[in-house]
Amino acid sequence: LPFSTVTTDSFKNNMRSGVRTIARRAALMSVLPWVRPPQPGHGTGIACPQQWKPTESGCVSSLPSGAPNRNLSPLRYAGDRERTFSRLRAYLLAKDATLLEDSQGELLRVRLPTLEISQPGLLEELTFRFLPDEPIVTFRIIAERPYVSQPFCVTPGCIVGNAAQRKRLESIRDEVGLTSIVDPTAVGKWVPIFFNKGIDLSVDDNE
């Protein structure tokens, strides 16, 4: 075949492959609304900082990024959006949170002291974003600075790293009446790599 024909066919094949890739990505984004990138005007977004080390704690987010132990499932609510937003706002302010931003049922940002007992005086910023067309809340809880994670956890089922932020999010979820979209222990995307499945500490007499 002439060189020009081969080149043209190769170019067409590459174009078709590129179009298929874009279409697949668009389809993925349509079924995973919580992985949409942060929109302009929404504060600092909801992703954890990429520059933080995997061995550092201080952030959990519904936008998968960085170490897997920072990833948590987005939240879902039932019923009226405005009422759910007001209930979340009231709960946080009852905890003496400092209100940073309140965008009329769309975005809520507050600041609270961390629950991490090894970091007295450390503050955390909590961001909750209500998606416009779905009963879903994306979020991020981030400390004002990272700190070294505990090297292990002793409770079966616990996850090493970012435990204080995870505990806070779970408490808010349960108290406000929200639910997690995905069970983090059941779906591979959300399973952290630092997962304690339980260790048998018994001694085998034959050893």
Side-chain angles (χ1 to χ4, degrees):
L1 292 175
F3 175 76
S4 59
T5 302
V6 175
T7 303
T8 301
D9 291 343
S10 176
F11 175 76
K12 289 180 179 179
N13 289 335
N14 289 338
M15 287 294 293
R16 293 192 190 101
S17 177
V19 170
R20 286 194 295 268
T21 299
I22 294 173
R24 284 195 297 268
R25 289 178 179 175
L28 177 62
M29 294 300 283
S30 69
V31 299
L32 298 178
W34 55 85
V35 299
R36 294 170 184 161
Q39 300 299 312
H42 281 171
T44 55
I46 60 170
C48 290
Q50 292 285 348
Q51 65 269 26
W52 283 21
K53 299 176 182 178
T55 54
E56 293 177 327
S57 284
C59 185
V60 293
S61 171
S62 59
L63 182 63
S65 57
N69 60 0
R70 294 180 187 146
N71 302 339
L72 287 176
S73 166
L75 303 174
R76 182 183 296 275
Y77 60 90
D80 183 71
R81 172 181 171 181
E82 296 294 334
R83 187 171 298 177
T84 303
F85 185 92
S86 297
R87 191 162 61 245
L88 174 62
R89 184 181 187 276
Y91 172 81
L92 294 171
L93 294 182
K95 297 292 184 180
D96 294 327
T98 300
L99 184 62
L100 302 177
E101 186 173 356
D102 181 353
S103 299
Q104 299 296 320
E106 296 180 2
L107 180 74
L108 183 64
R109 282 200 307 130
V110 301
R111 183 178 292 126
L112 280 168
T114 185
L115 298 178
E116 177 54 59
I117 59 175
S118 68
Q119 303 294 320
L122 185 66
L123 297 176
E124 293 178 348
E125 182 178 300
L126 289 67
T127 302
F128 297 91
R129 182 178 303 151
F130 285 63
L131 298 188
D133 303 320
E134 299 161 277
I136 293 173
V137 184
T138 57
F139 59 84
R140 182 181 72 174
I141 300 178
I142 183 170
E144 56 189 349
R145 57 171 173 77
Y147 53 90
V148 178
S149 300
Q150 297 288 340
F152 58 87
C153 58
V154 296
T155 304
C158 67
I159 300 171
V160 175
N162 307 293
Q165 293 75 36
R166 190 177 301 103
K167 178 181 179 181
R168 166 157 277 158
L169 189 280
E170 292 171 351
S171 176
I172 293 172
R173 178 197 64 193
D174 296 342
E175 291 293 331
V176 178
L178 305 171
T179 59
S180 295
I181 290 179
V182 181
D183 178 0
T185 64
V187 179
K189 181 175 183 178
W190 301 102
V191 175
I193 58 176
F194 308 111
F195 193 78
N196 181 357
K197 295 182 179 178
I199 301 174
D200 184 2
L201 300 179
S202 60
V203 177
D204 190 340
D205 293 336
N206 296 324
E207 294 184 354

